[in-house]
């Protein structure tokens, strides 16, 4: 092939890189995670699925930096997590990562809108009110904008956590079982909005779930039961 016609394509950039990685909970004799290698592509939607107990939430918490103490390499958005302190993790997460976790991390006595504005403030980002209203209405929680988080149902709180993550236009969104508390219609609305906003903002989305209803809507799927050598039944 003549040199001039050769296509030069750079390798796909990974948002998350894991190599020779393991993690054990304190006082646990066994590793919960042992992953030889895993790459999560940037600007794509990835689903990490697997049986209950295979380590999905543990892995996501380590990627978020809310859980620390792994061995081996874990790099997120090009930053090596080795040796990072808790305040460094908090700052990095506030600036770069939107988390939609099972425990939600909403402030219960603040209203929906106050929770979203606080998230933006912590990230040092300005509030785009029309955008926030549009996200709230797409997730069908606009009627609750002035309701305190503690008065919302499980599913509504989960959608507020999603709205907060989307409003901040983060480079990376991590979601733990985001559709588990939602019915079919709200699950579809949630994923429609998540994927649309992610595409518009070139956001990397990582969802962990045992819910395989929407598996084929993701660009990339990883079976953690197979990849995690510490999980029962791992290949
Ligand atoms: P999944 O999200 O895939 O259901 P988890 O990451 O929650 O799995 O759990 C993986 C394993 O780690 C399970 O065996 C679970 O019991 C254990 N585990 C989870 N959290 C803790 C903890 N805080 N301390 C000790 N073990 C834990
Ligand atoms: Mg879990």
């Amino acid at each position: 092939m003549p040199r001039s016609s050769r296509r030069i394509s750079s390798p796909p950039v990974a948002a998350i890189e894991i190599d020779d990685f393991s993690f054990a909970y304190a006082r646990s004799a066994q590793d919960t995670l042992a992953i030889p290698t895993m790459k999560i592509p940037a600007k794509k939607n990835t689903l990490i699925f697997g049986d209950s107990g295979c380590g999905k939430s543990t892995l996501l918490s380590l990627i978020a930096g809310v859980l620390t103490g792994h061995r081996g390499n874990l790099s997120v958005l090009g930053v090596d997590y080795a040796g990072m302190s808790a305040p460094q993790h908090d700052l990095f997460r506030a600036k770069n990562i939107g988390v939609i976790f099972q425990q939600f991390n909403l402030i219960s006595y603040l209203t929906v809108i106050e929770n979203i504005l606080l998230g933006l403030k912590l990230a040092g980002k300005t509030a785009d009110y029309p955008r926030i209203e549009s996200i709230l209405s797409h997730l069908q929680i606009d009627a609750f904008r002035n309701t305190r988080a503690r008065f919302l149902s499980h599913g509504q709180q989960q959608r507020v956590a999603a709205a907060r993550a989307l409003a901040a236009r983060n480079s990376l969104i991590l979601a733990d079982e985001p559709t588990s508390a939602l019915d079919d219609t709200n699950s579809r609305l949630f994923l429609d909005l998540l994927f649309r906003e992610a595409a518009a903002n070139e956001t990397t989305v990582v969802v962990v779930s045992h819910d395989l209803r929407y598996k084929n809507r993701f660009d990339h799927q990883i079976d953690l039961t197979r990849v995690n050598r510490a999980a029962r039944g791992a290949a």
Side-chain angles (χ1 to χ4, degrees):
M1 188 188 289
R3 222 184 154 74
S4 57
S5 67
R6 197 191 302 159
R7 283 188 62 204
I8 300 171
S9 56
S10 49
V13 182
I16 299 165
E17 289 189 82
I18 287 172
D19 288 293
D20 297 327
F21 176 91
S22 60
F23 174 80
Y25 279 104
R27 292 185 294 279
S28 170
Q30 289 180 331
D31 284 343
T32 290
L33 293 169
I35 302 175
T37 188
M38 180 188 286
K39 280 195 187 0
I40 295 179
K43 303 173 190 178
K44 301 252 189 258
N45 306 315
T46 295
L47 175 70
I48 300 177
F49 65 96
D51 301 335
S52 177
C54 79
K56 301 181 296 297
S57 296
T58 303
L59 178 60
L60 215 61
S61 300
L62 287 158
I63 294 170
V66 292
L67 185 62
T68 56
H70 70 278
R71 298 182 300 277
N73 178 51
L74 168 59
S75 296
V76 178
L77 302 172
V79 172
D80 184 352
Y81 271 14
M84 264 170 77
S85 67
Q88 285 172 327
H89 274 300
D90 290 344
L91 189 63
F92 181 73
R93 188 178 333 104
K95 290 203 175 306
N96 300 291
I97 307 178
V99 289
I100 309 169
F101 277 9
Q102 277 164 329
Q103 63 276 25
F104 312 124
N105 300 312
L106 296 180
I107 312 275
S108 65
Y109 59 83
L110 294 183
T111 65
V112 164
I113 201 83
E114 287 166 347
N115 265 286
I116 292 170
L117 294 177
L118 178 65
L120 290 169
K121 195 166 176 210
L122 292 174
K125 290 172 184 170
T126 49
D128 175 345
Y129 288 96
R131 178 181 159 78
I132 293 171
E133 286 300 328
S134 144
I135 292 169
L136 290 176
S137 96
H138 275 105
L139 289 171
Q140 300 191 348
I141 42 173
D142 43 334
F144 303 105
R145 68 167 74 65
N146 295 317
T147 304
R148 291 183 200 281
R150 67 190 156 101
F151 295 123
L152 299 177
S153 75
H154 193 76
Q156 287 161 347
Q157 288 191 36
Q158 208 155 13
R159 280 179 279 158
V160 176
R164 189 181 52 180
L166 290 169
R169 287 197 175 92
N170 292 297
S171 312
L172 175 63
I173 288 184
L174 305 176
D176 192 342
E177 308 278 2
T179 54
S180 63
L182 305 180
D183 58 30
D184 279 351
T185 305
N186 277 314
S187 292
R188 199 166 30 75
L189 283 172
F190 169 79
L191 287 178
D192 288 348
L193 181 66
L194 180 64
F195 291 160
R196 196 185 64 216
E197 291 295 324
N201 296 298
E202 301 200 315
T203 302
T204 304
V205 173
V206 183
V207 171
V208 304
S209 186
H210 69 278
D211 182 355
L212 298 179
R213 282 180 293 176
Y214 309 101
K215 189 174 164 210
N216 293 333
R217 293 194 59 187
F218 288 80
D219 304 317
H220 187 60
Q221 297 94 2
I222 296 172
D223 180 353
L224 189 63
T225 315
R226 293 180 68 87
V227 173
N228 179 15
R229 298 289 164 93
R232 269 176 319 200

